[in-house]
Amino acid sequence: MKTIRVSAAVIRDGEYILAAERGYGEYRGFWEFPGGKREVGESGEEAVIREIQEELGVTIAIDCFLCTVEHQYDGFFLIMDCYLAHIQEGRIKANEHIALRWLTADTLDSVSWLPADIKVLPSVRGLL
């Protein structure tokens, strides 16, 4: 079974957390914390900064490591390192997602999260 290691950003702006709706693949329409696969030799922090620049067109600053979650999907095992971050420069645009939404503690459950991202929610709730 293939193992995929990814880095994701939990982007916070005050009491809001950014969620992104996938625009491709088997999980199109589900919501996630943006990020993506690490390249060879890349740290988790480097990967998430690069991925957010590509996906959202903004530069983020990492505030801290948040958590690592693991999930067995059909066909692969996912290890996802999550980082709390904030936008340092730029305006967000959905380059690879159908939609973006800023959620509060009260609206976190208003979207259909990907299974691995559901496992991040307890850590996110502790921030809000």
Side-chain angles (χ1 to χ4, degrees):
M1 182 79 41
K2 183 177 183 179
T3 297
I4 298 174
R5 184 134 205 176
V6 301
S7 292
V10 176
I11 300 173
R12 180 170 60 179
D13 185 1
E15 64 184 42
Y16 295 94
I17 296 291
L18 184 69
E21 186 177 6
R22 283 180 71 95
Y24 59 91
E26 178 182 352
Y27 294 99
R28 176 183 165 87
F30 282 87
W31 291 77
E32 65 184 353
F33 294 106
K37 294 179 188 174
R38 288 189 194 180
E39 294 181 355
V40 176
E42 232 178 7
S43 71
E45 294 90 345
E46 291 167 337
V48 76
I49 289 168
R50 176 186 51 76
E51 285 285 346
I52 297 305
Q53 182 66 52
E54 292 171 6
E55 291 183 9
L56 302 176
V58 295
T59 302
I60 58 169
I62 305 293
D63 297 316
C64 65
F65 171 79
L66 188 60
C67 65
T68 297
V69 297
E70 298 179 352
H71 189 78
Q72 180 66 59
Y73 284 96
D74 291 339
F76 67 96
F77 183 72
L78 180 75
I79 301 171
M80 181 168 66
D81 297 318
C82 301
Y83 299 88
L84 179 62
H86 65 274
I87 296 171
Q88 189 171 33
E89 185 179 340
R91 294 184 60 108
I92 292 180
K93 53 186 178 273
N95 293 329
E96 296 183 17
H97 295 92
I98 296 171
L100 302 170
R101 191 179 296 172
W102 289 100
L103 303 174
T104 64
D106 294 335
T107 60
L108 275 178
D109 295 324
S110 67
V111 298
S112 296
W113 292 99
L114 284 167
D117 293 76
I118 288 170
K119 295 178 178 181
V120 180
L121 294 181
S123 295
V124 170
R125 287 182 205 289
L127 301 170
L128 301 175

